[in-house]
Amino acid sequence: MPTKINLAFADYSRLIKRMGKDHRLSSTHISLCAALFAGWQKSGYANPFGITRKQLMVYSKIASVATYHKCIRELDEHGYIRYQPSFSPKQESLVYWPEGVQDETEAR
């Protein structure tokens, strides 16, 4: 029987494949997604999980706050995650990680 961790990695793999085919996304979006996955993993796969902009920028190696905000907003708009910003430097923002991700070929 697959464990929650195995399912999480399988979902992540499908998500990255789907993102790689999406012409709207850049390598920065994928790097941010990898940072989000690391944060989700660190939280024990809680959904939603809390994380700060500073943590995500360090993990993803995004140097510009404007680039970070653009990419996180676009990941939310395109349905890859659901992002609920806290607007407070002392409180973590909430990220809802997608569960049961299907790639485009599986959805057909």
Side-chain angles (χ1 to χ4, degrees):
M1 173 165 268
T3 66
K4 186 174 185 177
I5 294 170
N6 289 342
L7 292 172
F9 278 100
D11 283 351
Y12 177 68
S13 177
R14 285 190 292 273
L15 184 66
I16 293 299
K17 287 177 187 175
R18 192 174 102 201
M19 292 176 81
K21 296 175 185 175
D22 191 335
H23 69 279
R24 301 170 295 183
L25 304 181
S26 69
S27 59
T28 308
H29 292 91
I30 294 171
S31 175
L32 182 55
C33 186
L36 287 163
F37 181 77
W40 183 48
Q41 187 178 30
K42 186 176 178 183
S43 77
Y45 303 101
N47 209 5
F49 65 97
I51 197 156
T52 65
R53 174 185 55 81
K54 185 176 181 178
Q55 289 170 311
L56 289 172
M57 288 181 69
V58 168
Y59 292 163
S60 63
K61 300 201 180 282
I62 296 174
S64 164
V65 174
T67 299
Y68 164 80
H69 283 293
K70 175 185 177 288
C71 288
I72 196 92
R73 185 190 77 243
E74 289 174 347
L75 288 175
D76 183 46
E77 287 173 355
H78 300 320
Y80 288 99
I81 59 163
R82 193 171 127 227
Y83 177 66
Q84 189 175 347
S86 71
F87 301 107
S88 167
K90 295 182 181 187
Q91 186 178 357
E92 295 178 326
S93 294
L94 292 178
V95 176
Y96 293 79
W97 188 261
E99 294 186 21
V101 177
Q102 292 182 337
D103 70 19
E104 294 167 0
T105 57
E106 290 176 11
R108 292 179 197 165

